[in-house]
Amino acid sequence: MSGLRRLPGDPPAEAIVERMLRVDHAGEYGARRIYAGQLAVRGRSPAAPVIRHMAEQEQRHLAAFDRLVAERRVRPTALSPLWHIAGYALGAATALLGERAAMACTVAVEEVIDRHYQQQIETLGDAEPALKSALEEFRADELEHHDTALAQGAEETPGYGLLTAAIKTGSRLAIWLSTRL
Ligand SMILES: [Fe+2]
Ligand SMILES: [Fe+2]
C-alpha cells in the first residue's frame, strides 16, 4: 500500500485503513439513525421529502461501508448499540424542537463529517483509489445535505449557535470513540 500519508509512529497503513472503515461505517450508521429519528417526528411535515432524500443517500453510504467492512473483515465498532440510540435520539429531539432545528442538526453533523472525510481523503493520498473515490462521492453528498439544510432555514432556529456547537462536539466525540472502540 503506497502513497498513504503516515507520520513516524503512526500505525501501519493497513491498520489506518481499517480504522477509517470502522469509523465511517459507524458514522453512516449514526447518520441513518438521525434521519430515522427526524422522520419519526416529521414524516408528514413539508420538510419530509427533503429529509427522506438525505436518508436515502445515507442508506447508500451505509450499504457501501457494510460491504467494505465485510469484505475486509474489519471489526465493526463496539459502540453500534450506542449510536443506534444516540443517533435516533438526536434526530428525534432536534425534530421535536422544530423543522429548522432538525436542519440545524444536519448542518452541524455534515460540517464535521465533511472535515472528517476531507482529512481521510488527504491521508489516503494515492493509496486505495476505489475507497478514495467513494469518500469523495459521499463527501459531495454530505455537502449537499449541509447546503440543503442551510437553504431550509437552519440558521433561523433559536439558539442556533449553541445547538450546532453542542452537536458538533458530540459528533467529534463520536468519531473519536468509533475510531478506537
Ligand atoms: Fe453519509
Ligand atoms: Fe449526510
Side-chain angles (χ1 to χ4, degrees):
M1 208 178 293
S2 70
L4 197 126
R5 284 180 207 167
R6 292 169 58 225
L7 296 171
D10 278 355
E14 248 168 68
I16 292 178
V17 173
E18 195 177 313
R19 280 179 169 203
M20 281 186 186
L21 294 176
R22 179 175 306 119
V23 64
D24 293 354
H25 183 241
E28 296 295 351
Y29 182 73
R32 205 196 57 169
R33 292 294 292 164
I34 289 172
Y35 291 117
Q38 291 191 348
L39 283 169
V41 176
R42 306 235 150 233
R44 289 158 191 270
S45 72
V50 173
I51 301 173
R52 210 162 278 128
H53 174 68
M54 295 179 190
E56 279 162 14
Q57 286 180 320
E58 303 302 357
Q59 181 57 47
R60 208 165 53 81
H61 302 169
L62 176 61
F65 285 113
D66 269 338
R67 245 191 336 268
L68 283 162
V69 158
E71 270 169 23
R72 302 193 185 204
R73 299 177 203 286
V74 173
R75 173 185 64 75
T77 173
L79 300 173
S80 307
L82 179 59
W83 306 146
H84 185 81
I85 295 167
Y88 190 87
L90 176 62
T94 50
L96 282 168
L97 285 173
E99 208 145 276
R100 298 206 160 93
M103 294 299 157
C105 170
T106 294
V107 171
V109 171
E110 301 296 13
E111 222 174 278
V112 173
I113 300 298
D114 169 47
R115 288 279 306 140
H116 169 74
Y117 278 152
Q118 181 58 35
Q119 280 167 2
Q120 288 192 339
I121 289 163
E122 279 166 22
T123 301
L124 283 176
D126 50 18
E128 298 276 349
L131 174 60
K132 188 173 170 175
S133 74
L135 293 179
E136 280 163 349
E137 187 193 325
F138 298 166
R139 180 176 171 237
D141 289 343
E142 314 299 9
L143 277 173
E144 185 198 302
H145 300 169
H146 174 271
D147 295 348
T148 302
L150 277 179
Q152 293 277 318
E155 288 165 306
E156 289 158 39
T157 194
Y160 176 80
L162 275 177
L163 181 67
T164 51
I167 294 171
K168 281 191 231 175
T169 302
S171 304
R172 289 194 196 103
L173 178 64
I175 287 175
W176 191 87
L177 285 168
S178 300
T179 303
R180 288 158 181 85
L181 299 175

